[in-house]
């Protein structure tokens, strides 16, 4: 059996206490499905997403689209 690792950003540092957080991220394509939307930060490029409080995955994606990309969105489930 293969040893599967959970994908993560960065490296875990010894001696620090970490909090497990649920997250959801979107892959948003252009009309031709040739490009995707990403956010550029000082640390690099990231997909829009994350969660705050008790919001659902759909609520998170709608908020992130508005806050980070300035778009209104329709989440199809």
């Amino acid at each position: 059996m293969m040893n599967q690792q959970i994908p993560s950003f960065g490296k875990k540092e010894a001696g620090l206490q970490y909090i497990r957080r649920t997250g959801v991220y979107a892959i948003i394509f252009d009309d031709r499905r040739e490009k995707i939307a990403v956010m550029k930060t000082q640390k690099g490029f990231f997909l829009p997403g994350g969660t705050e409080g008790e919001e659902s995955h759909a609520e998170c994606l709608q908020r992130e689209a508005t806050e980070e990309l300035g778009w209104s969105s329709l989440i199809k489930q």
Side-chain angles (χ1 to χ4, degrees):
M1 178 182 262
M2 292 179 52
N3 182 13
Q4 294 183 342
Q5 292 184 337
I6 298 173
S8 63
F9 297 103
K11 295 182 179 183
K12 190 172 184 177
E13 296 183 33
L16 293 179
Q17 185 145 9
Y18 292 88
I19 299 169
R20 185 175 295 270
R21 293 182 52 195
T22 300
V24 60
Y25 297 87
I27 300 175
I28 303 170
F29 291 92
D30 68 352
D31 291 338
R32 294 183 178 178
R33 298 185 65 85
E34 295 174 343
K35 299 177 184 177
I36 63 170
V38 295
M39 299 179 310
K40 183 177 180 183
T41 71
Q42 292 178 341
K43 294 184 178 183
F45 294 91
F46 296 93
L47 295 171
T51 56
E52 291 182 3
E54 299 294 320
E55 67 188 353
S56 70
H57 289 173
E59 290 168 333
C60 168
L61 294 177
Q62 287 180 313
R63 178 185 52 74
E64 285 287 332
T66 302
E67 287 180 1
E68 304 296 343
L69 303 170
W71 297 344
S72 61
S73 62
L74 171 64
I75 308 299
K76 295 182 181 181
Q77 296 182 13

